Amino acid sequence: PQTLYFTRHGESEYNVVGRIGGDAVLSPRGESYAHGLAVHLNELAAHEPLTVWTSELRRTKQTAADIMAPKRAIRALNELDAGICEGLTYEEMQERFPQEFAWRDQDKLRYRYPWGESYIDIMTRLRPVLSALEDEHNVVVVGHQAVLRCMLGYFLDAQLDELPYMNVPLHTIVKLTSYGYKYKLEMIKLPI
Ligand code: G3H
């Protein structure tokens, strides 16, 4: 069977203070996850070859740093671009751009941040990556919340409207194993 692994980057300094987007580095807890992830995956890599795909952002590269496997940084895996709201907290967004905040709440799937992206936009830019992944085995994707919601939603045949609400927790490896058409999902929560 074909196996694919997905994980969010470790907790970042922006996650700690609830800021959207940006290019923050990992928090100490995030670093600890990066270490635990490497220990777990290096064990696997000792038996069969793994490849790691990250985004171009620092937090995913840092999370993958100690994994002993070839790595590719892929721009299409970058987090949802929040445009004018990059770097804000959701509270600040609600204060400064109340109309935008309300629109997003009404249609999170289609809502596009001014100068930024929507979940639908992410699905569009992910198409080539998703097609490529379908032919891969033992790839570890170190990604971001919104992008991983779209990727997992795709493999698990979720409805489009469910995508923005899928649960992809921090500090957890999501393992997908395919048997024919269906993918089986396993969540591996690592102690940090
Ligand atoms: O900005 C990127 C976040 O990871 C996505 O969270 O779409 O639930 O606001 P959200």
Side-chain angles (χ1 to χ4, degrees):
Q2 174 208 22
T3 305
L4 300 170
Y5 301 90
F6 300 83
T7 176
R8 289 174 66 185
H9 55 79
E11 180 187 81
S12 74
E13 295 289 2
Y14 259 29
N15 291 144
V16 175
V17 292
R19 293 196 180 280
I20 313 168
D23 192 13
V25 294
L26 298 185
S27 72
R29 272 162 51 85
E31 300 231 32
S32 158
Y33 176 68
H35 176 74
L37 179 70
V39 170
H40 186 93
L41 293 176
N42 288 339
E43 175 70 25
L44 284 173
H47 301 287
E48 36 190 334
L50 289 183
T51 312
V52 180
W53 295 5
T54 69
S55 75
E56 289 182 329
L57 298 167
R58 293 193 287 180
R59 56 196 186 277
T60 61
K61 290 183 180 173
Q62 241 186 310
T63 302
D66 295 336
I67 306 169
M68 288 183 280
K71 287 163 207 153
R72 282 174 59 188
I74 300 173
R75 189 190 189 110
L77 290 178
N78 286 1
E79 182 55 312
L80 184 139
D81 182 345
I84 60 169
C85 293
E86 283 278 313
L88 301 184
T89 64
Y90 290 105
E91 246 181 15
E92 288 168 346
M93 178 183 175
Q94 190 166 18
E95 277 166 28
R96 290 187 213 176
F97 306 109
Q99 182 59 260
E100 297 293 330
F101 191 85
W103 277 330
R104 187 165 202 256
D105 196 44
Q106 279 160 28
D107 192 352
K108 198 175 170 191
L109 174 69
R110 289 171 196 82
Y111 172 80
R112 177 184 283 150
Y113 285 98
W115 307 109
E117 293 178 297
S118 67
Y119 273 84
I120 293 286
D121 292 331
I122 295 190
M123 263 311 199
T124 304
R125 72 159 141 101
L126 276 179
R127 283 279 155 207
V129 182
L130 290 169
S131 304
L133 256 190
E134 284 184 318
D135 297 326
E136 293 284 349
H137 177 53
N138 281 346
V139 167
V140 181
V141 177
V142 181
H144 303 268
Q145 177 164 246
V147 167
L148 289 173
R149 282 173 170 156
C150 292
M151 297 183 99
L152 293 171
Y154 173 82
F155 284 109
L156 298 172
D157 281 325
Q159 298 294 310
L160 279 178
D161 289 290
E162 297 174 58
L163 295 181
Y165 305 100
M166 301 226 348
N167 178 33
V168 188
L170 274 177
H171 304 161
T172 303
I173 302 174
V174 179
K175 181 178 176 185
L176 290 189
T177 312
S178 90
Y179 299 92
Y181 291 106
K182 283 254 178 276
Y183 283 89
K184 191 189 84 174
L185 174 139
E186 224 177 301
M187 296 259 200
I188 306 160
K189 174 114 196 127
L190 295 185
I192 58 151

